Amino acid sequence: GQSLEQPSEVTAVEGAIVQINCTYQTSGFYGLSWYQQHDGGAPTFLSYNGLDGLEETGRFSSFLSRSDSYGYLLLQELQMKDSASYFCALKGNRDDKIIFGKGTRLHILP
Amino acid sequence: DTAVSQTPKYLVTQMGNDKSIKCEQNLGHDTMYWYKQDSKKFLKIMFSYNNKELIINETVPNRFSPKSPDKAHLNLHINSLELGDSAVYFCASSQDPGRYSSYNEQFFGPGTRLTVL
């Protein structure tokens, strides 16, 4: 089957850097995505890694290592508005399903 | 312009009732989805339609029936509502992920919070 593991909660300080890890298990793999969801809101797409390495989008970066079945989301210069849940999601190549991790709740302290 | 819209935003109903949630996307995408997010924030896919054709049907009670009249609309009808159906239901769309496509950014609607009493 397919599954993803990510920490349930992470706490960091405003202005700091935080890394949210995601490990996955799947028999086939196309890529790893990251989504952000604020309380009461809808998930919004942040980034996608189809190949190994780092993808950078402003303050957010995402990394993938296919050999380690591992990825992470890196958030820099944390702002209070970054307080949200972050989901990693994978697309396997056996069907069109997107499987989401259970989400990491990011708490930011002033 | 709203990319993916859902109605209603809130739905409160009694057990045993039948209800529908509507979803529309104006992005020109070929694929639409329904997700259920429970109280623990676990986001689970229920159905996926590609160009009006059902391509994913997860292990969902057959009380749930999706219907796609055209590729811009995907509605969800729920019969005989149960307490456990209480959740937030999200509609989403993406541009033709295809069976062999690697890129699949999904655009989510605002969600419908369903409460079954």
Side-chain angles (χ1 to χ4, degrees):
Chain A
Q2 297 170 313
S3 65
L4 300 103
E5 292 289 332
Q6 52 182 129
S8 58
E9 290 186 276
V10 171
T11 300
V13 178
E14 190 176 15
I17 299 172
V18 72
Q19 178 173 313
I20 299 173
N21 298 320
C22 175
T23 57
Y24 61 86
Q25 283 188 324
T26 181
S27 54
F29 179 79
Y30 265 131
L32 194 71
S33 301
W34 289 90
Y35 287 78
Q36 178 191 61
Q37 185 180 27
H38 287 99
D39 284 347
T44 55
F45 175 83
L46 289 178
S47 69
Y48 170 79
N49 293 78
L51 301 172
D52 285 0
L54 194 67
E55 293 284 339
E56 297 180 77
T57 309
R59 295 187 298 114
F60 295 0
S61 304
S62 58
F63 172 82
L64 176 66
S65 168
R66 298 168 78 108
S67 60
D68 296 323
S69 298
Y70 163 75
Y72 66 72
L73 180 69
L74 191 74
L75 297 84
Q76 304 182 71
E77 301 172 19
L78 283 170
Q79 302 175 9
M80 297 304 292
K81 68 178 182 180
D82 298 330
S83 294
S85 293
Y86 292 85
F87 296 85
C88 56
L90 71 81
K91 181 175 186 289
N93 61 8
R94 297 184 74 176
D95 55 33
D96 295 303
K97 238 175 1 182
I98 305 292
I99 304 296
F100 282 81
K102 294 187 176 180
T104 298
R105 179 73 189 212
L106 175 61
H107 303 277
I108 299 178
L109 304 176
Chain B
D1 281 345
T2 304
V4 182
S5 59
Q6 295 178 227
T7 54
K9 189 167 174 64
Y10 299 96
L11 189 51
V12 181
T13 188
Q14 300 284 336
M15 261 175 38
N17 284 350
D18 303 338
K19 290 293 178 186
S20 291
I21 307 172
K22 295 186 175 182
C23 178
E24 176 181 2
Q25 55 96 3
N26 63 7
L27 298 167
H29 288 167
D30 292 314
T31 304
M32 297 183 72
Y33 311 81
W34 277 111
Y35 287 89
K36 178 180 180 181
Q37 188 170 45
D38 60 24
S39 57
K40 294 184 179 178
K41 302 291 188 183
F42 187 36
L43 197 61
K44 186 168 167 52
I45 191 165
M46 301 172 69
F47 302 102
S48 169
Y49 270 73
N50 180 267
N51 219 357
K52 301 195 298 174
E53 180 186 345
L54 180 66
I55 56 172
I56 294 173
N57 185 350
E58 284 298 281
T59 308
V60 175
N62 57 16
R63 298 181 295 104
F64 291 78
S65 52
K67 184 169 265 189
S68 181
D70 55 62
K71 75 173 195 176
H73 295 84
L74 181 61
N75 304 323
L76 183 66
H77 188 77
I78 316 170
N79 289 328
S80 304
L81 278 155
E82 300 178 358
L83 293 176
D85 298 332
S86 295
V88 180
Y89 292 84
F90 286 102
C91 176
S93 73
S94 67
Q95 179 58 46
D96 190 24
R99 193 159 293 277
Y100 306 106
S101 171
S102 59
Y103 188 68
N104 188 300
E105 176 181 350
Q106 301 206 351
F107 294 79
F108 283 79
T112 296
R113 182 173 292 277
L114 172 64
T115 303
V116 182
L117 304 174

